[in-house]
Amino acid sequence: MIKLAILASGSGSNAEKIMAHFQGSTKAAISLIASNKADAFVMERAKKFGVPTFTFTRKEMDAGVLLAKLQEEKIDWVILAGFLLKIPEELIRAFPNRMVNIHPALLPKYGGKGMYGHHVHEAVKAAGDTETGITIHLVNEHYDEGKIIFQAATSVTPEDTPDSIAQKVHTLEHRYFPEVIESLLGS
Ligand code: GRF
């Protein structure tokens, strides 16, 4: 059984789709939901699926506490689904080509520092872009610059607001993220 951990800081709608996707799988299991926010809604979602949770502070993560937990649980893959802290290099190096992130835009556009959540959709709107989308990529030491595994696009109309753009992007994320993760795990 391949063991996956999901790191999330917020609502966790992607985490929920991933947990639902792998429920009953004979190939892989979501073994841990880890968050830097004890009151993040993703924790409720984890309970609903009976997935163990782990919370930690930024300081603890930087001191290696999260890495130790992932190793103790024998985690094979780390999935970042709305995780907002910068991952320590030591942790990235412990999962070479085994750490995946989803970014709510078509990288390399709208990536890098400060480009997360609503900031991304506001920037897309302000630029007047006619499309946006999702990027699923491996994580390396350079934020949002790891190898791109998958992208999908959606149209942006002049009527769209940052909120409606966010909804369109979430729809794509929910549709594709679980199956792209599964394809990465091999057969
Ligand atoms: C997603 O849009 C993801 O791309 C971004 O953070 C958001 C998390 O949403 N990195 P949710 O917590 O999964 O609902």
Side-chain angles (χ1 to χ4, degrees):
M1 200 66 151
I2 302 168
K3 298 180 86 178
L4 281 65
I6 300 175
L7 309 192
S9 303
S11 161
S13 67
N14 279 287
E16 171 147 4
K17 291 286 174 190
I18 298 164
M19 288 188 284
H21 182 87
F22 286 100
Q23 212 174 21
S25 167
T26 51
K27 182 163 125 188
I30 311 305
S31 302
L32 189 70
I33 298 275
S35 182
N36 58 307
K37 293 219 182 298
D39 59 352
F41 191 60
V42 69
M43 295 311 206
E44 300 300 317
R45 300 191 200 255
K47 273 181 218 145
K48 198 171 85 183
F49 283 84
V51 173
T53 60
F54 180 70
T55 55
F56 54 89
T57 64
R58 180 198 295 258
K59 227 174 147 181
E60 286 170 339
M61 179 179 72
D62 289 346
V65 171
L66 176 59
L67 174 56
K69 176 70 177 173
L70 297 173
Q71 288 173 334
E72 186 188 312
E73 299 294 334
K74 301 202 167 13
I75 298 298
D76 300 298
W77 283 80
V78 175
I79 312 297
L80 309 180
F83 184 63
L84 295 180
L85 298 183
K86 189 172 183 332
I87 312 271
E89 279 191 22
E90 190 197 9
L91 180 44
I92 295 172
R93 279 198 298 265
F95 291 90
N97 296 321
R98 293 281 185 277
M99 188 179 287
V100 189
N101 184 42
I102 189 161
H103 187 78
L106 295 169
L107 290 175
K109 291 185 94 177
Y110 308 110
K113 211 170 160 50
M115 278 295 161
Y116 60 89
H118 250 246
H119 301 289
V120 174
H121 310 307
E122 275 154 20
V124 168
K125 173 75 190 167
D129 285 5
T130 54
E131 67 167 16
T132 187
I134 62 170
T135 302
I136 297 170
H137 64 93
L138 295 178
V139 177
N140 68 19
E141 289 90 334
H142 305 286
Y143 225 58
D144 290 340
E145 286 177 22
K147 183 178 173 220
I148 291 175
I149 307 294
F150 177 88
Q151 291 188 302
T154 183
S155 64
V156 177
T157 67
E159 291 73 38
D160 271 319
T161 62
D163 272 344
S164 67
I165 296 172
Q167 271 172 30
K168 286 179 173 179
V169 166
H170 256 116
T171 301
L172 285 180
E173 292 184 331
H174 296 165
R175 170 155 171 218
Y176 291 113
F177 200 16
E179 62 183 60
V180 170
I181 293 167
E182 174 150 13
S183 73
L184 278 172
L185 303 179
S187 45

